[in-house]
Amino acid sequence: MKISSIPLPSPLGLWTTVRSVGAFKVACSFAALWAFVKISRALRWRLKTTQLRGPPRTSLMYGVSHDLASSQDSGAMYERWATEYGVAYTIPGVLGRTRIVLCDPRAIAHFYARETWTYVQTPLSLALLEAAFGRGLLWSQGEAHRRQRKALTPAFSNAAIRKLTSVFYDSAYKAKGAWDTIIESSKDGGAVIEVQNWMNHISLDTIGIAGFSHDFGSLHGERASVTELFDTFGNNQQASAVNYVFILIASAFPIITKIPTQRTNLFKKLSVTMGEISDDLLTRSRREKDVNVGERDEEKSIIGLLIKSEGQDAELHMSEEEVVAQMKVLLLAGYETTSISLTWALIELSRHLDVQTRLREELLAFGADPTYDQLKANLPYLDAVVHEILRLHPPLGEFSRLAVADDVIPLSESVRTESGEMTDSISIAKGSLMVVPIKAINCSLAIWGPNAKEFKPDRWLTEDGIGGKAKEVQGHRHLLTFVDGPRACLGKDFAIAEFKTVLLVLVKNFVFEMRDGPDTPVEIARGILPRPRVVGEDGIGVPLRVRRYE
């Protein structure tokens, strides 16, 4: 063959080949660098973190995360592992990641004291919160969180909530009037009422009026766009299960939260809708604000404080984006958490008719509707029932954070490490994922005693009703329901006052029973937060048999 007959590559083809080889080398270099960083971090984490024992991986991909997500009682799983491995242990997470679980009151107190500075939101939490609610109180950290929280604190003082008690009563009596009408139209003096939707309506109308001087009108049957969206969550349980798997994977790769799914699209739509409502409410309130009349009181309302913080000369200035984000967060918190707790209260009272009767007797003996201060101090059994519900059924079952600095966490009792040594403190390396299993702590046999799983309001009425170990838990009334530390729930007293007021009105006027008997099974459905649902019902249905108390 002649040399001249051998085809030579064109200059363009040769350059393309060289460029592709160069690109391949660059890609290999980046891959090697990424692997080196990952391996270095893993080695550092292993060297600086106390290696604890824990349950074995049940899934190569998910660790034990899918088991926890699909369980009807993840708190019992965390508690069982604490019994086996000690008050601090590790669990395998998604794609080889490890999470450190704290089940010790002293360790948890240390953790919460350093929350928002040493322990911060995980990248997944930040991505989801920002997409749904913007950069408000739930999303912010460090100094930004302190500033936003301080700006809102006056709206949740005792003085502010005292003025809002009439709003709580108004919503409760609207529901009572509607139920009276339903029962009057029945033939047997009672009716089956799906109570969870009604608790949703009470909560939404209450936060609308109390927080933003706006009546959503859901107790009168009006269907605002935000209520329709809230009700959509949890109605499709199959889709919710698929989306939860998506979230598990996103815990390792937060960037995939940008991929549209049914749930992420719902959150996006909810964010847009709440943003539009918030903009409308803010525009109206700015327009109606009269600096000469009631300005000092207005500035103590939620929306008044938000408007005040917009001023450039405000001591605790918030941007317009932050103001709208606060309103979104307050709408969600006012709607979700209180309605879930009220629903659980009606379920437990329907299961325990003796407790329901005793509570009604206390309320009737008191007479007229109590004031805010009387609600706090003069109805001990109502207080006991409310806190027993908050203990057994916290709206948030667990709490996850990321360590952004090395730390040493003390323990109240020693644990055995992976190597077999005993230690009374654990070293935490930067980058560690931390978990506080709220429900497990609230219902732990080791902390609350042998009747920890039972609905027993009496435990709150005697000095020895709460054991020594439970008294070591630092949180509202030794509960982690409202978490603790710098990020403890700002609206705690607001929520408890509303909870007590609504429960008081309903129990004084109605008798509640499970539609299918006291042993009717109840399961957990996935809404925005986990919600109760009677087994066999669609969506988040909780039908109870309701009749007037005569």
Side-chain angles (χ1 to χ4, degrees):
M1 178 182 291
K2 294 180 180 180
I3 295 177
S4 59
S5 66
I6 299 174
L8 296 173
S10 67
L12 180 61
L14 186 62
W15 170 244
T16 302
T17 302
V18 171
R19 190 171 61 177
S20 64
V21 170
F24 177 72
K25 287 183 176 179
V26 170
C28 287
S29 299
F30 273 116
L33 180 61
W34 179 85
F36 174 75
V37 170
K38 285 290 185 182
I39 292 170
S40 298
R41 286 178 178 174
L43 286 173
R44 183 185 185 279
W45 181 85
R46 189 159 186 87
L47 289 170
K48 282 189 162 285
T49 302
T50 303
Q51 298 303 300
L52 300 167
R53 301 179 301 152
R57 182 178 296 276
T58 58
S59 164
L60 185 63
M61 183 170 187
Y62 300 119
V64 297
S65 298
H66 194 274
D67 301 329
L68 287 165
S70 58
S71 172
Q72 283 289 307
D73 191 357
S74 60
M77 296 178 67
Y78 281 118
E79 185 180 2
R80 185 174 72 249
W81 291 331
T83 302
E84 185 172 354
Y85 301 110
V87 294
Y89 56 90
T90 58
I91 57 174
V94 175
L95 296 176
R97 306 186 77 180
T98 299
R99 296 192 290 169
I100 299 169
V101 182
L102 303 178
C103 293
D104 177 68
R106 186 180 179 192
I108 292 170
H110 175 97
F111 169 85
Y112 277 129
R114 286 155 178 76
E115 220 250 311
T116 206
W117 298 100
T118 302
Y119 301 102
V120 303
Q121 299 272 16
T122 65
L124 175 61
S125 295
L126 289 174
L128 294 174
L129 289 169
E130 184 175 11
F133 310 111
R135 300 189 171 195
L137 199 61
L138 289 183
W139 178 90
S140 61
Q141 300 182 136
E143 184 58 33
H145 178 268
R146 187 202 66 81
R147 171 177 51 81
Q148 293 183 24
R149 185 181 177 95
K150 189 174 180 181
L152 286 170
T153 295
F156 295 98
S157 66
N158 280 332
I161 300 169
R162 188 176 290 113
K163 294 178 181 178
L164 294 174
T165 307
S166 60
V167 176
F168 304 153
Y169 276 118
D170 186 53
S171 293
Y173 277 110
K174 284 178 182 175
K176 174 194 176 297
W179 288 8
D180 282 337
T181 301
I182 293 171
I183 292 171
E184 282 172 7
S185 63
S186 67
K187 296 180 180 179
D188 59 357
V192 173
I193 295 176
E194 201 296 285
V195 297
Q196 184 142 232
N197 277 335
W198 281 98
M199 298 307 103
N200 292 348
H201 298 330
I202 289 173
S203 298
L204 184 64
D205 282 5
T206 298
I207 190 61
I209 296 171
F212 312 115
S213 301
H214 174 76
D215 188 356
F216 285 102
S218 60
L219 285 166
H220 293 305
E222 296 179 27
R223 297 293 296 171
S225 55
V226 69
T227 60
E228 293 174 355
L229 278 169
F230 277 136
D231 292 346
T232 302
F233 286 92
N235 285 339
N236 188 336
Q237 291 301 301
Q238 186 175 1
S240 293
V242 171
N243 279 304
Y244 207 86
V245 170
F246 176 84
I247 293 298
L248 287 179
I249 299 171
S251 65
F253 303 104
I255 189 70
I256 72 173
T257 57
K258 305 295 183 182
I259 299 173
T261 65
Q262 184 178 15
R263 192 170 180 85
T264 55
N265 287 339
L266 269 176
F267 267 115
K268 185 176 181 180
K269 191 174 180 181
L270 179 62
S271 178
V272 170
T273 301
M274 289 195 298
E276 291 171 349
I277 291 169
S278 300
D279 284 337
D280 288 344
L281 296 179
L282 282 167
T283 299
R284 189 194 67 189
S285 296
R286 292 186 194 108
R287 188 171 58 244
E288 292 179 353
K289 183 180 179 183
D290 185 343
V291 295
N292 296 315
V293 180
E295 183 179 10
R296 294 182 65 185
D297 287 340
E298 182 67 20
E299 287 182 356
K300 291 180 182 177
S301 70
I302 296 174
I303 200 162
L305 287 166
L306 290 173
I307 292 172
K308 180 184 177 184
S309 69
E310 286 185 305
Q312 291 299 325
D313 58 344
E315 179 186 356
L316 301 166
H317 173 72
M318 283 193 279
S319 67
E320 184 173 351
E321 178 192 12
E322 289 176 330
V323 167
V324 172
Q326 311 307 349
M327 295 185 72
K328 291 180 181 180
V329 168
L330 292 166
L331 277 173
L332 171 70
Y335 176 85
E336 277 285 293
T337 55
T338 307
S339 64
I340 292 171
S341 296
L342 281 165
T343 304
W344 273 118
L346 295 180
I347 290 172
E348 293 292 3
L349 291 175
S350 298
R351 287 170 164 173
H352 302 87
L353 296 179
D354 56 332
V355 175
Q356 185 182 157
T357 298
R358 182 175 169 187
L359 175 59
R360 186 178 296 108
E361 288 172 351
E362 178 186 76
L363 301 176
L364 291 171
F366 187 84
D369 289 339
T371 64
Y372 170 70
D373 296 291
Q374 290 169 333
L375 276 171
K376 291 186 72 173
N378 298 97
L379 293 164
Y381 201 62
L382 173 63
D383 185 78
V385 168
V386 163
H387 282 88
E388 188 69 346
I389 295 296
L390 294 173
R391 184 184 73 85
L392 284 173
H393 305 291
L396 189 66
E398 65 181 63
F399 187 91
S400 299
R401 287 293 183 261
L402 175 71
V404 291
D406 295 346
D407 194 18
V408 177
I409 299 179
L411 303 174
S412 62
E413 59 183 84
S414 297
V415 296
R416 189 177 301 279
T417 66
E418 199 177 54
S419 62
E421 298 176 355
M422 300 299 291
T423 181
D424 57 6
S425 66
I426 56 173
S427 297
I428 302 296
K430 177 182 177 180
S432 298
L433 290 169
M434 312 296 296
V435 177
V436 175
I438 292 172
K439 185 171 182 181
I441 304 300
N442 278 3
C443 303
S444 167
L445 294 170
I447 293 174
W448 289 86
N451 61 8
K453 312 296 183 189
E454 301 173 32
F455 178 64
K456 296 187 78 68
D458 277 346
R459 79 175 74 245
W460 299 95
L461 300 176
T462 59
E463 284 294 324
D464 58 351
I466 298 176
K469 196 75 172 176
K471 289 181 179 177
E472 295 175 18
V473 178
Q474 293 184 21
H476 171 75
R477 301 285 286 274
H478 311 296
L479 299 175
L480 293 182
T481 304
F482 298 102
V483 301
D484 196 19
R487 298 188 80 98
C489 177
L490 183 59
K492 168 180 62 69
D493 292 330
F494 180 104
I496 292 174
E498 181 186 356
F499 190 173
K500 287 183 177 181
T501 303
V502 174
L503 197 60
L504 177 147
V505 172
L506 296 182
V507 172
K508 275 179 73 172
N509 291 281
F510 301 103
V511 177
F512 298 91
E513 297 173 338
M514 301 300 291
R515 181 191 61 188
D516 303 315
D519 297 325
T520 299
V522 175
E523 62 185 356
I524 302 300
R526 299 193 186 284
I528 297 178
L529 295 176
R531 284 180 170 272
R533 174 181 61 191
V534 169
V535 172
E537 292 295 312
D538 294 331
I540 51 173
V542 180
L544 299 183
R545 192 167 297 281
V546 183
R547 57 184 173 84
R548 281 202 200 95
Y549 174 73
E550 301 294 346

